[in-house]
PDB file of all heavy atoms in Angstrom:
ATOM      1  N   HIS C  70      -7.380   4.000 -10.558  1.00 98.00           N
ATOM      2  CA  HIS C  70      -8.836   4.028 -10.345  1.00 98.00           C
ATOM      3  C   HIS C  70      -9.416   2.634 -10.552  1.00 98.00           C
ATOM      4  O   HIS C  70      -9.381   2.096 -11.652  1.00 98.00           O
ATOM      5  CB  HIS C  70      -9.524   5.016 -11.296  1.00 98.00           C
ATOM      6  CG  HIS C  70     -11.000   5.076 -11.079  1.00 98.00           C
ATOM      7  ND1 HIS C  70     -11.567   5.521  -9.894  1.00 98.00           N
ATOM      8  CD2 HIS C  70     -12.050   4.698 -11.856  1.00 98.00           C
ATOM      9  CE1 HIS C  70     -12.877   5.426  -9.973  1.00 98.00           C
ATOM     10  NE2 HIS C  70     -13.205   4.926 -11.147  1.00 98.00           N
ATOM     11  N   SER C  71      -9.931   2.068  -9.477  1.00 98.00           N
ATOM     12  CA  SER C  71     -10.541   0.745  -9.593  1.00 98.00           C
ATOM     13  C   SER C  71     -11.602   0.556  -8.525  1.00 98.00           C
ATOM     14  O   SER C  71     -11.726   1.357  -7.594  1.00 98.00           O
ATOM     15  CB  SER C  71      -9.471  -0.349  -9.471  1.00 98.00           C
ATOM     16  OG  SER C  71      -8.965  -0.372  -8.151  1.00 98.00           O
ATOM     17  N   HIS C  72     -12.392  -0.478  -8.745  1.00 98.00           N
ATOM     18  CA  HIS C  72     -13.368  -0.939  -7.748  1.00 98.00           C
ATOM     19  C   HIS C  72     -13.144  -2.450  -7.735  1.00 98.00           C
ATOM     20  O   HIS C  72     -13.831  -3.190  -8.446  1.00 98.00           O
ATOM     21  CB  HIS C  72     -14.788  -0.590  -8.180  1.00 98.00           C
ATOM     22  CG  HIS C  72     -14.946   0.829  -8.666  1.00 98.00           C
ATOM     23  ND1 HIS C  72     -15.026   1.886  -7.801  1.00 98.00           N
ATOM     24  CD2 HIS C  72     -14.996   1.352  -9.922  1.00 98.00           C
ATOM     25  CE1 HIS C  72     -15.150   3.013  -8.506  1.00 98.00           C
ATOM     26  NE2 HIS C  72     -15.121   2.712  -9.789  1.00 98.00           N
ATOM     27  N   MET C  75     -15.470  -5.536  -7.984  1.00 97.00           N
ATOM     28  CA  MET C  75     -16.395  -5.617  -9.125  1.00 97.00           C
ATOM     29  C   MET C  75     -16.021  -6.698 -10.145  1.00 97.00           C
ATOM     30  O   MET C  75     -16.708  -6.858 -11.151  1.00 97.00           O
ATOM     31  CB  MET C  75     -16.540  -4.254  -9.806  1.00 97.00           C
ATOM     32  CG  MET C  75     -17.319  -3.282  -8.946  1.00 97.00           C
ATOM     33  SD  MET C  75     -17.691  -1.723  -9.768  1.00 97.00           S
ATOM     34  CE  MET C  75     -19.244  -2.122 -10.582  1.00 97.00           C
ATOM     35  N   MET C 129     -12.092   2.555  -4.697  1.00 98.00           N
ATOM     36  CA  MET C 129     -13.236   3.248  -4.105  1.00 98.00           C
ATOM     37  C   MET C 129     -14.373   2.238  -4.057  1.00 98.00           C
ATOM     38  O   MET C 129     -14.833   1.766  -5.101  1.00 98.00           O
ATOM     39  CB  MET C 129     -13.615   4.410  -5.031  1.00 98.00           C
ATOM     40  CG  MET C 129     -14.804   5.211  -4.581  1.00 98.00           C
ATOM     41  SD  MET C 129     -15.567   6.114  -5.944  1.00 98.00           S
ATOM     42  CE  MET C 129     -14.380   7.377  -6.317  1.00 98.00           C
ATOM     43  N   HIS C 188     -18.283   9.532  -4.244  1.00 97.00           N
ATOM     44  CA  HIS C 188     -18.521   8.731  -5.449  1.00 97.00           C
ATOM     45  C   HIS C 188     -18.620   9.638  -6.677  1.00 97.00           C
ATOM     46  O   HIS C 188     -17.919   9.432  -7.664  1.00 97.00           O
ATOM     47  CB  HIS C 188     -19.789   7.869  -5.285  1.00 97.00           C
ATOM     48  CG  HIS C 188     -20.166   7.153  -6.541  1.00 97.00           C
ATOM     49  ND1 HIS C 188     -21.090   7.660  -7.422  1.00 97.00           N
ATOM     50  CD2 HIS C 188     -19.704   6.002  -7.089  1.00 97.00           C
ATOM     51  CE1 HIS C 188     -21.186   6.835  -8.455  1.00 97.00           C
ATOM     52  NE2 HIS C 188     -20.361   5.824  -8.270  1.00 97.00           N
ATOM     53  N   HIS C 215     -15.255  10.437  -9.032  1.00 98.00           N
ATOM     54  CA  HIS C 215     -15.578  10.336 -10.463  1.00 98.00           C
ATOM     55  C   HIS C 215     -15.922  11.745 -10.939  1.00 98.00           C
ATOM     56  O   HIS C 215     -16.781  12.403 -10.344  1.00 98.00           O
ATOM     57  CB  HIS C 215     -16.809   9.447 -10.679  1.00 98.00           C
ATOM     58  CG  HIS C 215     -16.573   7.994 -10.398  1.00 98.00           C
ATOM     59  ND1 HIS C 215     -17.076   7.361  -9.299  1.00 98.00           N
ATOM     60  CD2 HIS C 215     -15.897   7.052 -11.097  1.00 98.00           C
ATOM     61  CE1 HIS C 215     -16.725   6.079  -9.325  1.00 98.00           C
ATOM     62  NE2 HIS C 215     -16.001   5.861 -10.402  1.00 98.00           N
ATOM     63  N   GLU C 218     -17.665  12.220 -16.019  1.00 97.00           N
ATOM     64  CA  GLU C 218     -17.492  10.962 -16.774  1.00 97.00           C
ATOM     65  C   GLU C 218     -18.375  10.951 -18.021  1.00 97.00           C
ATOM     66  O   GLU C 218     -17.964  10.478 -19.075  1.00 97.00           O
ATOM     67  CB  GLU C 218     -17.807   9.772 -15.861  1.00 97.00           C
ATOM     68  CG  GLU C 218     -17.650   8.417 -16.555  1.00 97.00           C
ATOM     69  CD  GLU C 218     -17.816   7.245 -15.614  1.00 97.00           C
ATOM     70  OE1 GLU C 218     -18.093   7.468 -14.409  1.00 97.00           O
ATOM     71  OE2 GLU C 218     -17.670   6.092 -16.081  1.00 97.00           O
ATOM     72  N   ALA C 252     -11.238  10.624 -11.479  1.00 98.00           N
ATOM     73  CA  ALA C 252     -11.320   9.592 -12.517  1.00 98.00           C
ATOM     74  C   ALA C 252     -12.173  10.070 -13.688  1.00 98.00           C
ATOM     75  O   ALA C 252     -13.162  10.783 -13.497  1.00 98.00           O
ATOM     76  CB  ALA C 252     -11.923   8.322 -11.933  1.00 98.00           C
ATOM     77  N   HIS C 253     -11.763   9.699 -14.875  1.00 98.00           N
ATOM     78  CA  HIS C 253     -12.465   9.893 -16.157  1.00 98.00           C
ATOM     79  C   HIS C 253     -12.225  11.275 -16.775  1.00 98.00           C
ATOM     80  O   HIS C 253     -11.549  11.365 -17.789  1.00 98.00           O
ATOM     81  CB  HIS C 253     -13.965   9.573 -16.029  1.00 98.00           C
ATOM     82  CG  HIS C 253     -14.214   8.172 -15.580  1.00 98.00           C
ATOM     83  ND1 HIS C 253     -14.005   7.079 -16.392  1.00 98.00           N
ATOM     84  CD2 HIS C 253     -14.601   7.669 -14.376  1.00 98.00           C
ATOM     85  CE1 HIS C 253     -14.268   5.969 -15.718  1.00 98.00           C
ATOM     86  NE2 HIS C 253     -14.621   6.304 -14.491  1.00 98.00           N
ATOM     87  N   ASN C 275      -9.161   6.527 -17.894  1.00 98.00           N
ATOM     88  CA  ASN C 275      -9.649   5.136 -17.921  1.00 98.00           C
ATOM     89  C   ASN C 275     -10.115   4.812 -19.339  1.00 98.00           C
ATOM     90  O   ASN C 275     -11.318   4.735 -19.599  1.00 98.00           O
ATOM     91  CB  ASN C 275     -10.831   4.971 -16.955  1.00 98.00           C
ATOM     92  CG  ASN C 275     -10.464   5.311 -15.529  1.00 98.00           C
ATOM     93  OD1 ASN C 275     -10.119   4.444 -14.743  1.00 98.00           O
ATOM     94  ND2 ASN C 275     -10.509   6.590 -15.207  1.00 98.00           N
ATOM     95  N   SER C 278     -12.701   1.748 -20.100  1.00 95.00           N
ATOM     96  CA  SER C 278     -14.019   1.945 -19.509  1.00 95.00           C
ATOM     97  C   SER C 278     -14.785   3.051 -20.242  1.00 95.00           C
ATOM     98  O   SER C 278     -15.978   2.905 -20.528  1.00 95.00           O
ATOM     99  CB  SER C 278     -13.859   2.277 -18.024  1.00 95.00           C
ATOM    100  OG  SER C 278     -15.098   2.551 -17.436  1.00 95.00           O
ATOM    101  N   ASP C 304     -10.639   1.233 -13.925  1.00 97.00           N
ATOM    102  CA  ASP C 304     -12.016   1.237 -13.447  1.00 97.00           C
ATOM    103  C   ASP C 304     -12.357  -0.204 -13.031  1.00 97.00           C
ATOM    104  O   ASP C 304     -11.495  -1.073 -13.002  1.00 97.00           O
ATOM    105  CB  ASP C 304     -12.969   1.770 -14.523  1.00 97.00           C
ATOM    106  CG  ASP C 304     -14.175   2.489 -13.915  1.00 97.00           C
ATOM    107  OD1 ASP C 304     -14.344   2.440 -12.683  1.00 97.00           O
ATOM    108  OD2 ASP C 304     -14.962   3.091 -14.673  1.00 97.00           O
ATOM    109  N   GLY C 305     -13.600  -0.485 -12.719  1.00 96.00           N
ATOM    110  CA  GLY C 305     -13.958  -1.837 -12.264  1.00 96.00           C
ATOM    111  C   GLY C 305     -14.059  -2.817 -13.431  1.00 96.00           C
ATOM    112  O   GLY C 305     -14.200  -2.410 -14.583  1.00 96.00           O
ATOM    113  N   SER C 308     -16.907  -2.666 -16.132  1.00 90.00           N
ATOM    114  CA  SER C 308     -16.959  -1.713 -17.250  1.00 90.00           C
ATOM    115  C   SER C 308     -15.651  -1.692 -18.034  1.00 90.00           C
ATOM    116  O   SER C 308     -15.307  -0.709 -18.655  1.00 90.00           O
ATOM    117  CB  SER C 308     -17.263  -0.302 -16.731  1.00 90.00           C
ATOM    118  OG  SER C 308     -16.247   0.149 -15.861  1.00 90.00           O
TER     119      SER C 308
HETATM  120 ZN1   ZN R   1     -15.138   4.152 -11.345  1.00 53.36          ZN
END
Side-chain angles (χ1 to χ4, degrees):
H70 181 64
S71 68
H72 313 282
M75 289 187 88
M129 179 202 289
H188 173 265
H215 290 107
E218 180 174 2
H253 301 288
N275 301 265
S278 177
D304 211 352
S308 62

